[in-house]
């Protein structure tokens, strides 16, 4: 838990990004949308106000809305993440069973001395069904969930600096820490307005505020969806982003090429870089006519594995002071809201994504002598781009360091420090691993291990090399190289084995 009087409280340089105290700004929105009836009216009014600036996505399903904002200069493209989403009358997922656990006395929840006072409830409106409204400005969002009677039951939001929200949500405006790594984003622009009324707004006024939001401030990615396609704009963005990351990793887009990159969102076989989005798009369309990409092939359903049904279980290890929970066997079936066939393979039907690629940063002085000879541009979830520096170590193994981590580490001691972290991490994992199951380090199903390392302390202001997550996979997948976090981190990919992690490097 963050200490209210600890280092977070002593930080200097926080930037205030709103006017009202955070609680008052939040209440201005929540009191405007107390029921799903108001959420539906807001959706309708936003559509009326913004007109053809918005593109509805068919993947929302009947009665729901998924609204994307068109690019100002190239209306054929939409900003890659939706502005407004409304789910209406969507059944909640079934609960996952969990076995009860008899915890020791000091870990048991204490019964309250007296029940909390009942709060006055909002009367349901004309629409009495559950749903969810989300208004987003890139990474910033507010999401309001409504219960079975259509009244508000839960709110989730981004809020800039979490310490400021946690300890000063009633007396301070929203703030961000410009030194945080990864970067903090301000809250959704609705909260930052000086004309907010904590008592709430009528729907027409609130719709105008939503129309003023500018997701393009934070979202660099663009999507072109000429005809309805499985997955819609979000599916095209996800596939295209994966293919673009692989094209950059494989060298199909050179590290010195800069401008707008456009790649097809079917199979990633046509990629073009141009000085402007308009130039790149025209060149891409010509290349698509010549190459004619095909829609993705739907894989044949894999046979259901013969897994014995296990009941949920739990246990508490008194010696190690650890609790383990198992859901037992869970069967997950995903049913899309909308089922579409792939469109005909014609040039005019091929979707694409576009991302502006800045020139790769130069390799820092001294690092080439330690094998970091390749520059790699990483792309984030919303199209942000940064440079990472790669040491290829043979047989697919590599070490990658993001540009934001370079100032915090010394290449002369880096490997020894990473090896120490790996040894400590492996010992901790194997000591607490599930009994009766093979260590992930020696499981032949996952021959690759990819540890990550954070290069800064939690405040993002002091160098501190430490553990930063780990994964085991069947292969190394470049599509997972995400700029949003790896900009500030180090990542290794190694062949796993029965002994300590091998460096796998011939240099």
């Amino acid at each position: 838990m963050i200490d209210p009087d600890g280092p977070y409280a002593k930080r200097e340089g926080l930037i205030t990004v709103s006017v009202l105290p955070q609680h008052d700004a939040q209440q201005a929105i929540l009191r405007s949308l107390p029921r799903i009836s108001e959420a539906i009216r807001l959706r309708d009014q936003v559509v009326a106000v913004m007109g053809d600036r918005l593109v509805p996505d068919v993947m929302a399903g009947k009665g729901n809305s998924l609204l994307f904002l068109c690019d100002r200069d190239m209306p054929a493209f939409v900003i890659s993440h939706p502005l407004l989403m409304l789910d209406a009358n969507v059944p909640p997922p079934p609960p996952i069973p969990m076995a009860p656990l008899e915890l020791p006395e000091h870990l048991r929840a204490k019964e309250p001395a007296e029940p909390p006072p009942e709060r006055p409830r909002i009367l349901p409106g004309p629409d009495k069904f559950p749903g969810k409204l989300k208004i987003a400005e890139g990474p910033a969002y507010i999401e309001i969930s409504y219960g079975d009677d259509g009244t508000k039951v839960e709110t989730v939001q981004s809020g800039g600096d979490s310490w400021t929200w946690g300890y000063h949500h009633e007396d301070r405006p929203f703030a961000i820490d410009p030194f945080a790594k990864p970067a903090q984003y301000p809250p959704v622009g609705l909260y930052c307005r000086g004309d907010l009324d904590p008592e709430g707004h009528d729907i027409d006024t609130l719709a105008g505020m939503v129309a003023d939001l500018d997701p393009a401030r934070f979202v660099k990615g663009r999507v072109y969806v000429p005809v309805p396609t499985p997955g819609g704009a979000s599916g095209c963005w996800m596939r295209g982003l994966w293919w673009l990351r692989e094209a950059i990793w494989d060298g199909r887009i050179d590290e010195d090429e800069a401008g707008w990159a456009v790649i097809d969102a079917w199979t990633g076989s046509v990629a073009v870089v141009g000085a402007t989005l308009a130039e790149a798009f025209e060149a891409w369309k010509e290349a698509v006519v010549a190459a004619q990409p095909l829609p993705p092939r739907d894989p044949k359903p894999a046979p259901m594995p013969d897994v014995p049904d296990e009941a949920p279980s739990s246990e508490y290890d008194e010696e190690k002071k650890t609790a383990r929970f198992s859901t037992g066997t869970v069967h997950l079936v995903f049913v899309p809201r909308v089922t579409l066939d792939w469109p005909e393979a014609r040039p005019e039907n091929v979707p694409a994504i576009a991302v502006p690629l800045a020139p790769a940063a130069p390799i820092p002085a001294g690092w080439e002598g330690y094998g970091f000879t390749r520059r790699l541009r990483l792309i984030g979830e919303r199209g942000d781009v940064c440079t990472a520096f790669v040491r290829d170590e043979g047989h697919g193994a590599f070490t990658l360091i993001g540009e934001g981590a370079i100032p915090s580490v010394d290449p002369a001691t880096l490997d020894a420090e990473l090896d120490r972290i790996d040894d400590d991490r492996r010992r901790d994992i194997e000591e607490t691993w599930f009994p009766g199951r093979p260590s992930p380090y020696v499981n032949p199903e996952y021959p690759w291990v990819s540890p990550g390392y954070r290069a800064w302390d939690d405040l993002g202001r002091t160098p501190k090399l430490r553990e930063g997550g780990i994964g085991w996979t069947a292969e190394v997948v470049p599509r997972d190289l995400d700029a949003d976090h790896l900009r500030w981190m180090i990542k290794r990919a190694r062949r796993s084995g029965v002994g300590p992690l091998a460096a796998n490097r011939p240099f």
Side-chain angles (χ1 to χ4, degrees), residues 92-146:
I96 296 177
M98 296 293 288
L101 176 64
E102 188 67 25
L103 291 171
E105 180 66 30
H106 67 283
L107 292 179
R108 295 177 191 172
K110 304 297 183 184
E111 292 292 334
E114 55 185 56
E118 290 190 8
R119 292 185 176 183
R121 294 197 69 253
I122 300 170
L123 292 177
D127 304 297
K128 298 179 179 64
F129 47 74
K132 184 179 295 183
L133 171 71
K134 184 175 183 180
I135 302 168
E137 195 175 23
Y141 69 93
I142 175 173
E143 182 177 278
I144 307 171
S145 296
Y146 301 93

Side-chain angles (χ1 to χ4, degrees), residues 410-425:
D410 181 348
T413 60
L414 177 63
D415 286 316
E417 293 182 77
L418 298 184
D419 289 341
R420 175 187 55 78
I421 294 172
D422 284 339
D423 291 340
D424 293 343
R425 174 165 35 194

Side-chain angles (χ1 to χ4, degrees), residues 28-36 38-40 42 133 135 142 144 146 152 201 203 206:
I29 307 304
L30 297 183
R31 287 172 176 158
S32 306
L33 300 165
R35 303 170 298 190
I36 198 168
E38 284 78 26
I40 293 171
L42 177 68
L133 171 71
I135 302 168
I142 175 173
I144 307 171
Y146 301 93
K152 179 180 67 69
H201 294 273
I203 294 301
L206 187 60

Side-chain angles (χ1 to χ4, degrees), residues 181-183 245 249 376-381 384-390 398-406 450-456 468-469 477-493:
K181 303 175 184 65
R245 286 171 176 169
W249 176 264
L376 180 73
R377 278 170 294 186
L378 306 179
I379 305 176
E381 175 60 30
D384 288 318
V385 177
C386 75
T387 303
F389 307 99
V390 182
F398 64 85
T399 297
L400 175 151
I401 181 166
E403 62 182 27
I406 288 287
S450 298
Y453 315 83
R454 299 175 66 183
W456 299 89
V477 185
R479 66 177 56 170
D480 293 336
L481 299 178
D482 172 23
D484 298 331
H485 294 91
L486 291 179
R487 177 194 299 267
W488 315 105
M489 296 181 64
I490 302 164
K491 183 180 180 68
R492 279 174 157 179

Side-chain angles (χ1 to χ4, degrees), residues 66-77:
L66 189 56
L67 304 177
F68 288 81
L69 186 63
C70 291
D71 181 84
R72 292 183 184 276
D73 300 320
M74 293 281 292
F77 284 83

Side-chain angles (χ1 to χ4, degrees), residues 365-376:
W367 283 81
E368 282 189 278
Y370 291 90
F372 291 87
T373 57
R374 181 157 66 101
R375 298 177 297 160
L376 180 73

